Amino acid sequence: EAGVTQFPSHSVIEKGQTVTLRCDPISGHDNLYWYRRVMGKEIKFLLHFVKESKQDESGMPNNRFLAERTGGTYSTLKVQPAELEDSGVYFCASSQGQGWGNTEAFFGQGTRLTVV
Amino acid sequence: AQSVTQLDSQVPVFEEAPVELRCNYSSSVSVYLFWYVQYPNQGLQLLLKYLSGSTLVESINGFEAEFNKSQTSFHLRKPSVHISDTAEYFCAVSDQGKFYFGSGTKLNVKP
């Protein structure tokens, strides 16, 4: 069974440009999460989809970030326009279950974004 | 609110020596606890988890962690480390699927 897949693995863009990250969750997982790790700090939650709906987007840093999950399958995270402080590793995770039955998430390898 | 503290950002240790990576958490509700590992140039991999039952949990590669509710800790231990254990280790708590991570501990095993 394929795990969580993220594309691209690395991206280097100039300040002001747009970048789109993609995440393919494990098939059948309704829950999809985006996390970010900036400059060796802790990995922080960005948002949570349940199927195609945004369940919790409290971690999104600002309106330059737009996440979508059309059809409840793969998700994209767009950063437009990118700023230097957006550099970091973006992780995607997926899981099954609802509420307290939602106990374990499977993580992708991450996308390393560098804004120069 | 949940939070996780990993006090040690780096832990150097010689091969075959024991190691303990510390993790403390704060939570207002019951939580599930995890250790994830990130080997160089790889993604996050689940190492072990505590959901319920026995407070001592083990991984397949010799790591163990003990959930201590009174001390709100979930320290990771291994009695004898290998060079291949060199990686960054993340402690995390899960609240209905949403994870709160510590800042990570880099374990550097030296020959």
Side-chain angles (χ1 to χ4, degrees):
Chain A
E1 179 183 348
V4 177
T5 306
Q6 293 186 245
F7 181 83
S9 57
H10 294 83
S11 180
V12 180
I13 62 171
E14 293 184 350
K15 175 182 173 180
Q17 289 186 321
T18 298
V19 63
T20 300
L21 313 181
R22 173 171 169 146
C23 170
D24 286 76
I26 292 173
S27 178
H29 282 191
D30 289 340
N31 299 290
L32 187 149
Y33 306 84
W34 284 98
Y35 291 84
R36 178 175 74 168
R37 189 183 192 203
V38 175
M39 291 196 60
K41 297 185 178 179
E42 67 269 25
I43 302 168
K44 286 192 173 180
F45 168 83
L46 295 179
L47 87 159
H48 171 204
F49 283 100
V50 177
K51 297 184 181 179
E52 68 276 9
S53 299
K54 292 177 183 176
Q55 181 80 7
D56 180 352
E57 53 184 328
S58 60
M60 295 288 266
N62 52 61
N63 58 10
R64 295 185 293 102
F65 289 76
L66 175 64
E68 295 180 322
R69 193 183 181 194
T70 306
T73 55
Y74 71 91
S75 175
T76 57
L77 179 64
K78 180 189 289 187
V79 184
Q80 179 183 29
E83 299 290 346
L84 298 179
E85 63 263 26
D86 300 332
S87 296
V89 181
Y90 290 76
F91 291 101
C92 177
S94 71
S95 69
Q96 289 179 314
Q98 299 294 323
W100 288 106
N102 184 4
T103 57
E104 180 179 349
F106 298 83
F107 284 79
Q109 291 195 324
T111 293
R112 182 174 296 277
L113 175 64
T114 303
V115 183
V116 297
Chain B
Q2 284 82 332
S3 68
V4 177
T5 301
Q6 292 181 249
L7 290 174
D8 306 306
S9 60
Q10 296 193 53
V11 173
V13 63
F14 287 105
E15 193 174 20
E16 298 184 3
V19 71
E20 178 180 82
L21 307 184
R22 295 179 292 170
C23 172
N24 289 87
Y25 69 92
S26 64
S27 174
S28 57
V29 297
S30 298
V31 295
Y32 303 118
L33 294 157
F34 300 78
W35 276 98
Y36 279 85
V37 58
Q38 186 176 24
Y39 298 103
N41 302 315
Q42 297 187 29
L44 288 172
Q45 301 176 31
L46 178 65
L47 187 61
L48 46 75
K49 61 185 177 184
Y50 169 77
L51 303 181
S52 65
S54 173
T55 57
L56 184 65
V57 290
E58 299 177 350
S59 72
I60 59 174
N61 58 349
F63 283 93
E64 64 179 30
E66 186 163 19
F67 169 55
N68 188 319
K69 187 174 182 179
S70 63
Q71 296 186 4
T72 60
S73 67
F74 191 55
H75 301 328
L76 182 69
R77 302 183 181 94
K78 188 170 184 179
S80 176
V81 294
H82 302 287
I83 295 289
S84 60
D85 293 324
T86 294
E88 191 161 17
Y89 294 78
F90 295 90
C91 182
V93 299
S94 170
D95 178 1
Q96 299 187 60
K98 182 177 177 179
F99 279 71
Y100 300 83
F101 287 89
S103 53
T105 298
K106 291 183 178 178
L107 177 63
N108 184 16
V109 182
K110 305 175 181 179

